[in-house]
Amino acid sequence: QVQLVESGGGLVQPGGSLRLSCVASGFAQDYYGIGWFRQVSGKEREGIACIGITNGDTDYADSVKGRFTISRDNDKSTVYLQMDSLKPEDTAVYYCAIVLGLSTSRAGLTLFPLEHWGEGTRVIVSS
């Protein structure tokens, strides 16, 4: 059974940093990687970062490129999202998910997740 557990959210001032963790387990099907998504109440969930499980390639949405870094620790079955230079518009609930595929285009990054979600972790960026 797929299990995804996110942690590390909290309240941080603009310009600050947080590191989110995602412990993932229980999946055997072929998949591309693990991604981070975020959702603001009333808006669609947005895929913001992904790391390929086989090749370790990373991809980012334009909204977080240069500020966020995704990484993995295979031994711990954990994927991290280091978030620096946080802005109030980064306020959201953050989720990790298995990514079955992705596309990049002029419209930006699109992640195709396995529709199985954890509880997420809330990030609030506010002074």
Side-chain angles (χ1 to χ4, degrees):
Q1 183 177 356
V2 174
Q3 285 194 320
L4 300 156
V5 181
E6 304 93 343
S7 63
L11 173 64
V12 62
Q13 292 187 342
S17 298
L18 281 176
R19 189 176 81 156
L20 307 184
S21 298
C22 167
V23 179
S25 63
F27 43 92
Q29 70 177 86
D30 289 341
Y31 61 101
Y32 174 77
I34 301 291
W36 282 97
F37 299 73
R38 66 185 181 186
Q39 188 169 28
V40 176
S41 180
K43 295 189 177 181
E44 289 189 359
R45 197 168 291 173
E46 173 191 17
I48 58 171
C50 180
I51 186 164
I53 290 301
T54 300
N55 54 23
D57 285 354
T58 57
D59 293 275
Y60 299 92
D62 290 342
S63 57
V64 305
K65 196 174 294 183
R67 300 188 299 121
F68 291 10
T69 304
I70 189 170
S71 61
R72 64 184 184 183
D73 183 333
N74 289 339
D75 290 340
K76 296 181 180 179
S77 299
T78 302
V79 173
Y80 303 99
L81 186 69
Q82 177 67 39
M83 306 189 297
D84 298 318
S85 302
L86 282 161
K87 305 175 182 179
E89 51 263 44
D90 294 319
T91 296
V93 179
Y94 285 71
Y95 303 87
C96 61
I98 297 166
V99 173
L100 303 176
L102 61 83
S103 68
T104 56
S105 67
R106 290 182 180 179
L109 176 68
T110 301
L111 301 181
F112 300 99
L114 180 69
E115 292 291 345
H116 182 99
W117 303 94
E119 295 186 354
T121 186
R122 185 175 298 275
V123 172
I124 301 173
V125 184
S126 175
S127 55

